Amino acid sequence: MKLAAFVSGLALVACALDLENGLMKAPPMGWLAWERFRCNTDCKTDPDNCISEKLFVDMIDRLADDGWKELGYVYVNIDDCWMAKKRDTSGKLIPDPERFPSGIKALADYAHSRGLKLGIYGDMGNYTCCGYPGTTLDRVEQDALTFAEWGVDMLKLDGCYSSEDEQAQGYPKMAMALNATGRPIAYSCSWPAYQGGLPPKVNYTLLANICNLWRNYGDIQDSWRSVLDIVDWFSANQDVLQPVAGPGHWNDPDMLIIGNFGLSDEQSRSQMALWTVLAAPLFMSTDLRTLSRSSREILQNRLMIKINQDPLGLQGRRVLRVQKSKSHIEVFLRPLSHSASALVFLSRRTDMPYRYTTSLSKLNFSASAVYEAQDVYSGGIISGLKAGENFTVIVNPSGVVMWYLYPTITLM
Ligand code: GLA
């Protein structure tokens, strides 16, 4: 009897800790302010680009009117620098009154009226990374209630200005507090990024129970070098990271920077393909008001999005790395539902388009099928592929060829 009571007590504790919001069965998609708009609070000289309700209303309108929402890009997420420098007299977080005169609830209502969701940013610690009021341990419940009262749909909880111990208490505490509000609020945890991103310091089993997504690694910057640095870190640690992702709980390599200043079109196609193979959240951080046609085509590629959102929710892996291939072509593979796969050939060359020849057998595909591939960017179909037969793809410097590959005939 006693033991049974003890066990059911344990189960209760475990249940209370779980983030049971049922959200994000596929990687979340939307828009996040940080990489492109940072902490620009100077609305006097830069009214169109400062962190203000105007910026978010503009992005809500673009997402709703320009075909994004229908493709799944539904989150509009505020990052740092939205707050007033001090809490109000009751200790409640408040937005900067000049930059957000209508308040966050009005913004959430507007997002909802346009069929979108609103995300907000907080920080487990004394201050946000940019020095705005943080959520100390004693404020966790109050802030969760505030976000729920405003009708917020997602919280990114950063980890500046807190100790390891405060983070270990605070992140699970916020998961419980969000659950307790009764409002489904997706929860993005920056915790692992502050603890080096790897076990034993990071407990991914716990994270998968309490967070819908988590930042594992440093911030993306507007450059190809930054994209490669992130891809290399995720690939080097894929044995740890790949198994912990799945429906409802995702690794987050950070925002898409497509549409900004640091990537060529080739590199933009590469970031989109690699994030998709990583089953990564697709949060664009770019100015949707001035996006070029080519960036839009990359971000709105339907087959790409279908692959990213695949219901199996398996993260892919780098199956061939550059040190082992003199060609300087790397190969990434993500298994998909219906025995399909996504294959990405990435060129790390800096000379000219490279003709890369390989076969599906060399990439460990079974010889008991005949395959067909659709090129995700060109739309071209390659049929009648036998595993043992060589094929050649032409990959541009810092570009990719991406295939959606599926068996058409199973051989006896
Ligand atoms: C940290 C986070 C970024 C961003 C900034 C805001 O650096 O990792 O994504 O939220 O803080 O200050």
Side-chain angles (χ1 to χ4, degrees), residues 32 34 39 79-81 121 123 128-130 156 158 160 190 193-194 215 217-219 254-255:
L32 178 58
W34 180 256
C39 192
D79 207 276
D80 205 347
C81 309
Y121 168 98
D123 185 284
T128 74
C129 299
C130 287
K156 168 175 169 180
D158 214 338
C160 273
S190 300
Y194 285 87
R215 283 280 309 283
Y217 190 60
D219 291 359
D254 213 0
M255 290 155 271

Side-chain angles (χ1 to χ4, degrees), residues 9-66:
L10 270 185
L12 268 181
V13 171
C15 283
L17 204 78
D18 278 7
L19 187 73
E20 289 166 337
N21 60 20
L23 298 171
M24 299 185 168
K25 292 298 177 200
M29 298 170 65
W31 184 90
L32 178 58
W34 180 256
E35 197 292 316
R36 174 62 182 80
F37 294 95
R38 307 283 170 149
C39 192
N40 176 359
T41 53
D42 186 358
C43 294
K44 295 227 162 53
T45 46
D46 201 4
D48 289 341
N49 299 303
C50 64
I51 301 302
S52 71
E53 62 186 36
K54 179 188 185 304
L55 180 70
F56 293 96
V57 166
D58 282 357
M59 293 307 151
I60 289 167
D61 288 342
R62 298 281 51 81
L63 287 175
D65 292 340
D66 296 348

Side-chain angles (χ1 to χ4, degrees), residues 87-102:
R87 290 171 180 267
D88 75 5
T89 46
S90 63
K92 191 173 169 179
L93 287 173
I94 43 168
D96 181 279
E98 283 181 10
R99 291 181 288 115
F100 291 85
S102 316

Side-chain angles (χ1 to χ4, degrees), residues 105 108-109 112 118 146-154 183 185:
K105 174 141 191 355
D109 288 347
H112 297 154
L118 188 77
T146 301
F147 299 144
E149 177 196 307
W150 287 342
V152 160
D153 305 290
M154 175 168 175
R183 182 176 176 82
I185 300 180

